[in-house]
Amino acid sequence: MCGIVGYAGGRQASEVILKGLQRLEYRGYDSAGMALLNDDLELIKVRGKVRDLADLAEKHDPHGTVGIGHTRWATHGEPNDVNAHPHTGTHRQFALVHNGIIENYNVIRQDLEKKGHTFTGETDTEVLAHLIEEIHEMSDIDFYQAVQQALLQVEGTYGIAIVHKYHPDRIIVARKGSPLLIGVGDGEYFVASDASPVIEYTHKVVYLEDEEIAVITRDGYEVSTLKNVRLTKEVHELAMNLEQIEKGGFPHFMLKEIFEQGDTIGDCMRGRLIVDENRIQLGGLDGYVDRLCDARRVIIAACGTSWHSGLVGEYLFEYLARIPVEVEYASEFRYREQLIDEQDVMIVISQSGETADTLAALREAKRRGALVLGICNVVGSTIARETDAGVYTHAGPEIGVASTKAFTAQVTVLTMMAMLAGRHRKVLSDELMRELVRELRDVPARVRAILEDTSGIEKVARMFTYAPNFLYLGRSYNFPVALEGALKLKEISYIHAEGYPAAEMKHGPIALIDEHMPVVVIAATDHTNEKVVSNIEEVKARKGRIIAISSNGQSDVARLAEFNLSIPEIHDCLSPLLAVIPLQLLSYHIAVNRKCHVDQPRNLAKSVTVE
Ligand code: M6R
């Protein structure tokens, strides 16, 4: 949540910052601002999007080759001009941008008010700025040391960048719990919440760790711990390129990412699905497969869409590897009485690798001795670095706030992990393994086949654009897909939707069904097909509007449904990889029809780095 960009070099900092903030806007978009160092400290900030900041900047014509910028997702204080970052102290000598939450800000604020500080807004960040000012002005330590001391006093999380008008060549940055990296250029250096603002200028980055602080100038950077131990940091080479973070001719990132899935699922399997040898190879798990296979149980912890892929994983691990699995919301797990120890294995799943609740669950499981494996998309992210081992999804940058290609890549990884464990435990037969290896190999082509003609989905979207409610039903592997379809619709089109196991409908939700209720039924698995057909009959008897996702050849489903969106036939356990695609597209087209902001839905942010 919230995006930070900073620049020190030979270019106009405002240009680098505005472009960078645009790329980070998926992290928050309710207000934006920047601070530039020239003869003075120039501050521009505004409620609204980065585009609004750019318009304002055009009027001010800001200049300076050192500066910082911020795009906000509000936690403390409503989105308005005053609460927008950067924030300053009373004497406006420095400006600070912040990602995270200062939890003890209220106590600090009251104390500072007694000392004469006056606050203009309600943010925790402004309190941090005043605290730094107070420490600096009331002691004989320099500004950098004042920042260090203030950070040692605050509780909570932060990624910060600060510029000071009497040190016009430098940016101070620090991190605890909110990601920050330094981009290493030639005669220019950057700071950013993720690599997207930096990639245009350099592929070399240094990841800051918790409680590290750095000073960046156009000539270099120095990193230390908050307690002043100088560090030599490894410089990483980024594997992503600029094209991957641009829309490539699509009107929205979400649509581009949906259409990429034929490729991304293939990329995820490359070098891992060894078809000729009928085996799976996951280098990231080397040395850990025995412990995974001997686990008393596997606990999967994740949030949102990643939690849904975890639910698919539960079915996969139990069927293919015969290992008991529990799937936990990371946010619930972290505060439960956790009965987890070294006999258990936790798998954390996260597209961003920065989700605060998932990170907390990971740390708690590790503290209690469990092996923690990760499934992450963002290479070098905090979760990827803190897990004992793991498998990257290699889906490429996902910019649309609604997660799509990350879901299918996560399910692909979970499928491969379950197959690997099943073989290792000798519970997955040669024959079934051969069938699944072949079927998995063909998934990308089948995804492309679905995407070739989306006119049926668009028609359904037109039909139900203004429906106030939706029900999504699925069974077995496709129950989580029903949840995912409902989540996609809710988050980007603001239509209330619920996902249910199809057979649970009769225990309550059936009361909602009348001639106005669209009911999306995922009927793509064979072994529960007859049961789902009965559920469809039940909806039909109550005049519900049935939209079915069925495999080619399920003529009974096609006959009963008002709209039938067919997908290619595939083994039951792989069907979520196909069944989710029409649901992603359905929510996309409904949101576009309703003129919603598809890539940046209201109130949301791509990566949730606060509790
Ligand atoms: O980056 P993560 O996978 O950890 O994110 C988890 C959720 O915040 C995320 O899946 C969220 O639910 C998406 N907006 C869903 O589309």
Side-chain angles (χ1 to χ4, degrees), residues 304-305 308 472 482-492 497 499 587:
T305 288
H308 295 157
Y472 285 73
L483 295 177
E484 177 61 6
L487 176 64
K488 288 289 89 85
L489 189 71
K490 277 185 272 210
E491 66 180 332
I492 62 166
S587 60

Side-chain angles (χ1 to χ4, degrees), residues 444-453 568:
R446 292 174 189 178
V447 168
R448 286 188 198 106
I450 299 172
L451 293 170
E452 230 157 63
D453 178 10

Side-chain angles (χ1 to χ4, degrees), residues 303-306 350-352 355 401-403 487-488 491 608:
C303 304
T305 288
S306 299
S350 175
Q351 186 286 129
S352 61
T355 301
V401 165
S403 191
L487 176 64
K488 288 289 89 85
E491 66 180 332
V608 185

Side-chain angles (χ1 to χ4, degrees), residues 152-167:
L152 288 169
Q153 287 182 28
V154 296
E155 285 160 21
T157 55
Y158 55 79
I160 56 163
I162 308 176
V163 286
H164 193 296
K165 78 175 185 188
Y166 297 134
H167 304 281

Side-chain angles (χ1 to χ4, degrees), residues 113-423:
E113 276 169 344
K114 280 187 207 137
K115 291 176 174 150
H117 289 255
T118 310
F119 293 88
T120 56
E122 297 93 46
T123 67
D124 50 335
T125 307
E126 192 185 357
V127 174
L128 177 58
H130 280 259
L131 178 64
I132 294 170
E133 181 178 62
E134 173 72 17
I135 294 172
H136 185 222
E137 289 178 359
M138 292 302 145
S139 61
D140 52 6
I141 57 177
D142 66 23
F143 184 69
Y144 172 82
Q145 287 169 321
V147 174
Q148 273 179 315
Q149 298 237 332
L151 293 179
L152 288 169
Q153 287 182 28
V154 296
E155 285 160 21
T157 55
Y158 55 79
I160 56 163
I162 308 176
V163 286
H164 193 296
K165 78 175 185 188
Y166 297 134
H167 304 281
D169 58 336
R170 73 178 194 186
I171 308 173
I172 299 175
V173 301
R175 148 185 184 153
K176 185 180 168 198
S178 300
L180 270 189
L181 56 80
I182 298 172
V184 179
D186 187 7
E188 55 184 0
Y189 289 81
F190 307 78
V191 61
S193 303
D194 74 26
S196 57
V198 165
I199 195 81
E200 187 174 343
Y201 312 99
T202 177
H203 279 68
K204 293 195 174 62
V205 296
V206 170
Y207 295 104
L208 282 190
E209 301 292 339
D210 280 354
E211 307 205 351
E212 288 180 358
I213 181 165
V215 174
I216 297 169
T217 66
R218 65 181 295 170
D219 300 318
Y221 62 92
E222 275 175 8
V223 186
S224 312
T225 65
L226 275 186
K227 296 198 172 141
N228 257 338
V229 179
R230 181 67 64 77
L231 302 168
T232 308
K233 301 283 293 181
E234 190 183 343
V235 178
H236 296 261
E237 192 74 29
L238 291 171
M240 71 205 294
N241 58 45
L242 198 56
E243 239 169 57
Q244 287 176 304
I245 54 169
E246 290 184 338
K247 283 193 200 141
F250 285 89
H252 298 100
F253 281 111
M254 183 183 178
L255 191 62
K256 173 186 173 226
E257 287 156 6
I258 291 173
F259 273 82
E260 279 175 347
Q261 289 175 107
D263 294 335
T264 51
I265 295 173
D267 291 344
C268 179
M269 295 189 294
R270 184 157 306 117
R272 294 165 166 178
L273 181 77
I274 318 293
V275 180
D276 298 346
E277 296 169 25
N278 196 33
R279 69 183 177 90
I280 300 284
Q281 175 180 300
L282 296 172
L285 298 187
D286 280 354
Y288 294 92
V289 177
D290 282 340
R291 213 160 143 202
L292 170 65
C293 291
D294 294 342
R296 176 178 55 186
R297 68 189 167 146
V298 167
I299 296 171
I300 299 180
C303 304
T305 288
S306 299
W307 184 77
H308 295 157
S309 72
L311 286 178
V312 179
E314 178 178 15
Y315 288 92
L316 289 165
F317 265 86
E318 292 183 352
Y319 173 56
L320 298 171
R322 303 272 192 268
I323 301 176
V325 177
E326 284 167 28
V327 186
E328 300 271 3
Y329 282 116
S331 53
E332 285 298 306
F333 176 83
R334 62 184 294 189
Y335 291 118
R336 284 246 306 272
E337 202 50 63
Q338 295 124 1
L339 303 175
I340 182 169
D341 59 31
E342 61 284 345
Q343 295 183 65
D344 300 311
V345 170
M346 174 175 272
I347 300 177
V348 286
I349 308 175
S350 175
Q351 186 286 129
S352 61
E354 302 294 348
T355 301
D357 287 322
T358 309
L359 186 57
L362 175 174
R363 287 179 177 158
E364 194 51 40
K366 264 180 108 171
R367 202 174 65 77
R368 289 169 186 267
L371 172 74
V372 183
L373 305 176
I375 299 177
C376 290
N377 194 37
V378 177
V379 176
S381 54
T382 310
I383 293 176
R385 282 178 286 138
E386 289 201 17
T387 42
D388 294 300
V391 182
Y392 280 119
T393 46
H394 294 316
E398 192 181 65
I399 312 283
V401 165
S403 191
T404 52
K405 63 177 179 172
F407 174 81
T408 45
Q410 289 164 349
V411 172
T412 305
V413 168
L414 285 160
T415 309
M416 292 190 292
M417 278 174 87
M419 286 163 72
L420 180 72
R423 292 301 276 172

